[in-house]
Amino acid sequence: DAKTTQPTSMDCAEGRAANLPCNHSTISGNEYVYWYRQIHSQGPQYIIHGLKNNETNEMASLIITEDRKSSTLILPHATLRDTAVYYCIVRVVRIGNNDMRFGAGTRLTVKP
Amino acid sequence: ETGVTQSPTHLIKTRGQQVTLRCSSQSGHNTVSWYQQALGQGPQFIFQYYREEENGRGNFPPRFSGLQFPNYSSELNVNALELDDSALYLCASSSQLSANTNTGELFFGEGSRLTVL
């Protein structure tokens, strides 16, 4: 699975959009981009995933560049509860494969 | 629909001892994965079970072993505990009905925090 690069930490003002970048320059054509987050003392939580089209759900939007070498997770109106470590993961989706390669992630701090 | 539950939530062991951690998967999920998360790091994949058999393993020694039961619940066993085994152990479940329905979304429990003294 392709390796990802994320900033170590970011700050965001409450109510503003949080834009979390991820580089995955070695991504293969059949690899998806996944985002999870981990709030302190909890297990990771799935946010969103995509292949090449932009995706949106009730939690966030995922913007993938046309060459698929990078992506951005957007939390449109960050709240204090969004303070967490955000993980960008690139992997092939295949039956029987639950091997998620988590890196160190980005520690997002939402400030009042 | 019940989520993924793990037990115990915290435990302390000494070097050389053995430990068993338990996980109940989310209702309807037939695949269970285990992860180890050391302090300040991301979770690391240990192995996964599907239909009661191990079918994927990360870079962990054989003293890390597991089981999956017919009701899809699972155990993680670690023998000959070492100080570096101190970590949060996470269980994740998913549904693996077919390649078309496998979205790759994992549902994690809150974890079992193991301290080895």
Side-chain angles (χ1 to χ4, degrees), chain A residues 38-91:
Chain A
Q38 188 172 23
I39 296 170
H40 182 63
S41 299
Q42 297 183 19
Q45 176 191 24
Y46 166 84
I47 302 173
I48 198 167
H49 77 284
L51 183 61
K52 55 184 177 181
N53 296 321
N54 297 338
E55 302 287 344
T56 296
N57 62 22
E58 65 279 2
M59 289 183 67
S61 294
L62 173 61
I63 309 299
I64 303 174
T65 58
E66 191 169 345
D67 63 7
R68 302 206 326 120
K69 293 183 184 299
S70 67
S71 60
T72 301
L73 178 74
I74 301 172
L75 307 179
H77 305 288
T79 70
L80 299 179
R81 286 191 298 258
D82 292 321
T83 292
V85 178
Y86 287 78
Y87 298 100
C88 170
I89 301 161
V90 175
R91 65 185 283 261

Side-chain angles (χ1 to χ4, degrees), chain B:
Chain B
E1 170 176 283
T2 58
V4 178
T5 58
Q6 294 187 241
S7 63
T9 54
H10 296 81
L11 71 166
I12 300 173
K13 294 284 188 178
T14 57
R15 275 187 303 174
Q17 285 189 313
Q18 179 265 345
V19 69
T20 297
L21 307 177
R22 296 177 175 81
C23 171
S24 293
S25 60
Q26 182 159 318
S27 177
H29 286 182
N30 56 10
T31 301
V32 174
S33 313
W34 286 92
Y35 288 76
Q36 179 195 66
Q37 186 173 23
L39 200 60
Q41 298 180 21
Q44 301 299 307
F45 176 71
I46 302 175
F47 47 55
Q48 71 176 43
Y49 279 81
Y50 173 62
R51 293 184 174 177
E52 302 178 50
E53 290 190 3
E54 182 183 306
N55 74 338
R57 191 176 185 94
N59 188 27
F60 281 82
R63 60 190 185 83
F64 286 78
S65 63
L67 287 172
Q68 185 181 31
F69 301 99
N71 65 353
Y72 306 131
S73 66
S74 177
E75 287 183 355
L76 165 65
N77 299 291
V78 186
N79 293 321
L81 284 168
E82 301 176 0
L83 297 180
D84 286 348
D85 295 333
S86 294
L88 180 68
Y89 288 85
L90 294 159
C91 172
S93 73
S94 66
S95 177
Q96 303 277 339
L97 296 177
S98 71
N100 288 335
T101 60
N102 179 12
T103 65
E105 178 179 352
L106 301 185
F107 294 82
F108 284 84
E110 299 296 294
S112 294
R113 184 164 296 282
L114 171 65
T115 301
V116 182
L117 302 176

